[in-house]
Amino acid sequence: QPQLVESGGGSVQAGKSLTLSCLASGYIFRNCGMGWYRQVSGKEREFITSITNAGQTYYSDSVKGRFTISQDENKNRVYLQLNSLKTEDTAVYQCVAELNILCSKTFPPTYNYWGRGTQVTVSS
């Protein structure tokens, strides 16, 4: 059974940077793509970025120009570079992956694996 494990969360001051990482491990037949959601306590989960196995990326307006998603050669590890952090970026960041024989054609994709999340706290 595949698993997603995030790392790299923490506490930083506004304007600083953090890098999150997510590794998909276990038996993976096909990785269609990965992404990140974030959730502020008491608010709806927000889909912020994704990358397909072909390298196509998506960014929500809230993070465009500040965050960058990338993946390693085997596509099973993604990184999220968070620059110019704001206090409103404080949230639990969850990694997601679509690991399927057939990849969905919806957007956002039908992610079927979720990490446990990592906390990012940005102070003023």
Side-chain angles (χ1 to χ4, degrees):
Q1 183 80 345
Q3 287 186 324
L4 303 183
V5 178
E6 303 102 336
S7 60
S11 298
V12 294
Q13 287 189 316
K16 300 296 186 181
S17 300
L18 274 178
T19 302
L20 307 183
S21 174
C22 174
L23 175 65
S25 62
Y27 179 72
I28 298 170
F29 182 82
R30 184 178 186 185
N31 185 340
C32 300
M34 300 177 71
W36 293 87
Y37 280 78
R38 70 182 181 184
Q39 187 165 25
V40 177
S41 179
K43 294 190 176 180
E44 283 193 16
R45 184 183 289 137
E46 179 188 12
F47 177 55
I48 58 170
T49 185
S50 64
I51 187 165
T52 68
N53 56 10
Q56 290 181 308
T57 57
Y58 160 83
Y59 298 96
S60 67
D61 288 342
S62 61
V63 307
K64 193 177 298 181
R66 300 187 299 120
F67 293 6
T68 304
I69 190 170
S70 59
Q71 59 191 2
D72 65 2
E73 279 192 14
N74 69 11
K75 318 295 185 188
N76 290 330
R77 186 189 289 272
V78 291
Y79 302 94
L80 182 61
Q81 178 69 35
L82 292 69
N83 293 332
S84 303
L85 282 161
K86 305 175 182 179
T87 54
E88 53 262 45
D89 294 320
T90 295
V92 174
Y93 285 71
Q94 254 181 315
C95 175
V96 293
E98 183 185 11
L99 309 177
N100 266 327
I101 295 173
L102 295 177
C103 300
S104 64
K105 299 190 186 302
T106 59
F107 189 82
T110 306
Y111 294 114
N112 54 346
Y113 287 91
W114 294 68
R116 297 183 67 176
T118 185
Q119 176 71 43
V120 172
T121 302
V122 184
S123 59
S124 58

